[in-house]
Amino acid sequence: MKRFLLSLTVLFTALTAAAGPNSPGAVYTATNAKTGNEILVFDRAADGSLTFSNTISTGGLGSGDSLGNASAIALSQDHSFLFVVNAGSNDISSFAVGPTGLTLASRVPSGGQRPISLTTFGSLLFVLNAGGQAGTTDNIAGFSIAGDGTLTPIAGSTRPLSGSDVGPAQIAFNGDGTILAVTEKNTSWIDTYVVNQFGVAHGPKVFASAGATPFGFAFGKRNQIVVSEAPGSAASSYSISFSGDLHLISASVADTQAAACWIAVTNDGRYAYAANAGSSSISGYAIAPDGTLTLLDSDGQSGLTAKHPVDEAISANGRYLYVLDDQANAISIFEIRADGSLQKQADAAVNASTNGLAVR
């Protein structure tokens, strides 16, 4: 029954997005400031452009340094709630998303040290804790999301990664909320966990990445996953079974750029975009029905960002790609065309160094 209700949530979200292809929304990023973490809110117009709205305190502390991560901010699937990690105070803040903005709902311990990445499915939220301090272990921890946005730990869902100091980067659910994946940069491994109907995670199963330093990733259709590989500036694709087993499809398809660290997949699962930190560029890939990856542009440059992209996200209506550029204090905006090509729009200025990006 719970899986049925969660599936209805996914269907409702998809229908909502499809019903309003030009609907406005919002973009969120966070300062990760050591003196106090804050969310920067941008109103998103129907043409994809952004206008700064306001700054809201999370009540927690940032780390003040690079988190080496993806997805430090996440929205619930129905966009009713927003969640952000506070890496400096080892907790998570949740906000209700209303017509007048964000309202703090709760702030709870993350279940570990140095939370860096979040993912949601239905009434579930999982956080990735990077540890990195003496006596701490890298782990994931699960929470249930109440109707008012408050978080409650799920007993038995705090699970280790493959070891300590593995350099985790991102955690994400698959399309039906039954599998979690985590990338480990230091070991070049990918961990998977099976999540049961009660939200309890089991694992990890550990698999070698096709290329070194797997970093950002995104699930597409048919339980396929596309993973970026930083040193070789490449992307690999895998299928993932109901038991969490990974099977390689395309191995390390190079984008000819520098330091592919983040991946976003379009809502229809046809295209993936790698954000290359070293070359300040975006590389587009076509995703075949069987998961095979092919570069959209032979030189790997589907678009150029402001400078040094550090995360990316696609709008709920699937029309716009947003890329966070920390060395330019900007958000680069691209319109996604039907053939997967990108049309650059005017950048939006950000008045602080930030980490994480969520779009509705």
Side-chain angles (χ1 to χ4, degrees):
M1 177 61 72
K2 185 170 183 178
R3 285 290 179 219
F4 174 73
L5 292 175
L6 293 178
S7 296
L8 287 181
T9 300
V10 177
L11 178 61
F12 173 79
T13 302
L15 290 174
T16 300
N22 297 310
S23 59
V27 170
Y28 308 93
T29 186
T31 63
N32 189 38
K34 199 170 184 177
T35 54
N37 196 14
E38 294 179 319
I39 296 175
L40 306 185
V41 183
F42 294 81
D43 294 329
R44 184 174 67 82
D47 65 359
S49 61
L50 301 181
T51 303
F52 177 72
S53 174
N54 61 343
T55 301
I56 299 173
S57 172
T58 69
L61 304 177
S63 66
D65 62 356
S66 174
L67 298 179
N69 67 329
S71 303
I73 299 179
L75 284 156
S76 59
Q77 287 180 294
D78 62 2
H79 295 172
S80 294
F81 304 108
L82 180 77
F83 308 93
V84 59
V85 298
N86 298 307
S89 51
N90 302 320
D91 50 39
I92 306 164
S93 296
S94 61
F95 294 83
V97 179
T100 60
L102 302 178
T103 303
L104 184 66
S106 69
R107 182 176 152 226
V108 299
S110 68
Q113 300 289 318
R114 196 174 169 86
I116 62 168
S117 182
L118 297 164
T119 185
T120 67
F121 182 87
S123 61
L124 301 178
L125 177 144
F126 271 79
V127 60
L128 174 62
N129 292 297
Q133 300 176 10
T136 65
T137 302
D138 304 355
N139 66 17
I140 66 170
F143 298 82
S144 61
I145 307 169
D148 61 357
T150 56
L151 299 174
T152 302
I154 299 172
S157 260
T158 298
R159 303 295 304 159
L161 303 187
S162 72
S164 298
D165 195 27
V166 300
Q170 184 182 353
I171 186 171
F173 270 113
N174 69 340
D176 62 9
T178 58
I179 302 290
L180 287 164
V182 171
T183 44
E184 297 183 0
K185 304 189 298 290
N186 294 352
T187 60
S188 294
W189 288 344
I190 302 170
D191 306 329
T192 67
Y193 305 80
V194 175
V195 182
N196 69 17
Q197 65 268 34
F198 304 107
V200 177
H202 299 274
K205 289 185 174 181
V206 180
F207 302 89
S209 169
T213 318
F215 200 118
F217 66 93
F219 281 96
K221 300 295 185 181
R222 306 174 188 87
N223 266 343
Q224 295 163 357
I225 182 173
V226 182
V227 184
S228 69
E229 297 159 3
S233 205
S236 293
S237 60
Y238 307 80
S239 64
I240 187 166
S241 73
F242 68 91
S243 59
D245 293 320
L246 286 183
H247 301 280
L248 183 63
I249 301 173
S250 288
S252 299
V253 181
D255 65 16
T256 79
Q257 299 294 294
C261 294
W262 295 271
I263 288 283
V265 170
T266 54
N267 300 351
D268 60 10
R270 295 176 60 199
Y271 304 105
Y273 300 99
N276 306 299
S279 52
S280 298
S281 62
I282 302 296
S283 297
Y285 291 86
I287 306 174
D290 66 357
T292 300
L293 300 178
T294 306
L295 271 179
L296 291 178
D297 302 274
S298 59
D299 63 358
Q301 281 194 8
S302 299
L304 294 176
T305 71
K307 190 175 182 182
H308 199 260
V310 293
D311 213 340
E312 58 181 343
I314 292 174
S315 60
N317 61 21
R319 290 192 58 191
Y320 297 98
L321 172 69
Y322 294 88
V323 183
L324 186 63
D325 297 289
D326 69 338
Q327 291 184 8
N329 284 359
I331 297 173
S332 294
I333 305 168
F334 300 87
E335 181 179 1
I336 303 172
R337 293 172 168 173
D339 62 357
S341 62
L342 299 177
Q343 176 63 50
K344 184 74 164 59
Q345 313 283 50
D347 295 338
V350 180
N351 63 5
S353 178
T354 57
N355 182 276
L357 197 66
V359 181
R360 65 174 178 86

